[in-house]
């Protein structure tokens, strides 16, 4: 990319470095919240014994949905690298649908968690409250990812990507894979510590 004012080129991988830095910052955010969860969990002691958290079955479904979305966005990256435009558009569309489905499935799951949360007192109240906050923060990041994915999909349907210029698709995939890892760490951490 040529900077008109200074007459020099921006390195091609600048956006990718920026994406890695963004993901590193988000890793610190989610890492800190998981440490907070573990601290509250350890202090809960007798008020919220291990095994007291009961995850709604919809959380298992949403886990499958987000993992399948990771496979479909990877298929989109593979398609654009091989200059298969029809496959690129198809996989981007499927990934958008799965991202929306993830959010749709999360709403009743959160409602069920919130219902369980209502009757708790003491440390158990804080524990469930933190779980609900963690899932909401993750869902908000998924919503942000859906906006970016929608833009990438629109650009894909407009034919703006090819085997040499597909940074938008690549970065959307990086973000989606990051969300997968965060969700798995959160979900499994709360499941086994619950």
């Amino acid at each position: 990319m040529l900077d008109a004012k200074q007459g020099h080129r921006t390195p091609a991988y600048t956006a990718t470095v920026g994406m890695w830095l963004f993901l590193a910052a988000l890793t610190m955010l989610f890492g800190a919240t998981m440490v907070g969860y573990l601290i509250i969990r350890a202090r809960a002691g007798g008020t919220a014994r291990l095994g007291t958290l009961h995850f709604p079955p919809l959380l298992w479904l949403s886990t499958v949905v987000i993992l399948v979305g990771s496979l479909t966005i990877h298929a989109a990256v593979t398609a654009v690298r091989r200059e298969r435009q029809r496959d690129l558009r198809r996989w981007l569309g499927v990934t958008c649908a799965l991202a929306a489905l993830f959010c749709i499935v999360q709403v009743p799951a959160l409602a069920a968690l919130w219902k369980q949360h209502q009757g708790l007192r003491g440390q158990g109240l804080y524990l469930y409250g933190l779980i609900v906050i963690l899932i909401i923060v993750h869902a908000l990041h998924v919503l942000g990812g859906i906006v970016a994915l929608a833009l990438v999909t629109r650009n894909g349907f407009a034919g703006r990507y090819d085997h040499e210029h597909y940074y938008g698709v690549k970065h959307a995939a990086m973000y989606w894979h990051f969300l997968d890892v965060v969700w798995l760490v959160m979900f499994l951490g709360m499941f086994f510590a619950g």
Side-chain angles (χ1 to χ4, degrees):
M1 175 191 280
L2 186 63
D3 184 352
K5 290 183 181 179
Q6 297 177 354
H8 62 72
R9 294 191 179 270
T10 303
Y13 292 102
T14 302
T16 302
V17 171
M19 186 65 178
W20 279 113
L21 292 173
F22 175 65
L23 294 178
L26 289 179
T27 299
M28 287 186 267
L29 169 72
F30 281 107
T33 55
M34 285 306 297
V35 167
Y37 169 77
L38 293 174
I39 290 170
I40 291 173
R41 185 72 190 107
R43 289 185 179 176
T47 59
R49 293 186 329 259
L50 290 178
T52 58
L53 298 176
H54 301 287
F55 286 167
L58 287 176
L59 287 180
W60 291 98
L61 175 61
S62 67
T63 301
V64 170
V65 169
I66 200 168
L67 291 175
V68 172
S70 189
L71 294 174
T72 59
I73 192 73
H74 180 74
V77 172
T78 301
V80 74
R81 284 181 178 163
R82 294 180 179 163
E83 204 63 57
R84 295 181 179 160
Q85 293 295 317
R86 182 186 294 187
D87 290 343
L88 167 67
R89 291 187 291 273
R90 178 172 41 105
W91 289 122
L92 286 174
V94 170
T95 305
C96 281
L98 288 169
L101 179 61
F102 177 80
C103 288
I104 290 168
V105 170
Q106 287 285 60
V107 170
L110 280 175
L113 274 177
W114 187 254
K115 188 174 181 182
Q116 289 178 24
H117 173 248
Q118 294 299 323
L120 296 175
R121 303 278 184 266
Q123 292 292 332
L125 176 70
Y126 296 125
L127 188 62
Y128 264 95
L130 184 58
I131 289 171
V132 170
I133 289 169
L134 279 170
I135 292 173
I136 288 172
V137 167
H138 187 263
L140 290 173
H141 282 89
V142 171
L143 285 174
I146 288 173
V147 170
L149 188 59
L151 294 172
V152 167
T153 302
R154 183 190 71 193
N155 289 339
F157 276 85
R160 294 190 178 137
Y161 300 118
D162 62 25
H163 69 282
E164 292 178 345
H165 305 284
Y166 61 93
Y167 289 110
V169 181
K170 177 183 174 182
H171 296 153
M174 288 171 67
Y175 187 72
W176 197 260
H177 295 320
F178 168 78
L179 290 175
D180 283 350
V181 171
V182 166
W183 176 251
L184 286 174
V185 168
M186 282 175 38
F187 183 76
L188 294 174
M190 291 183 291
F191 181 77
F192 287 114

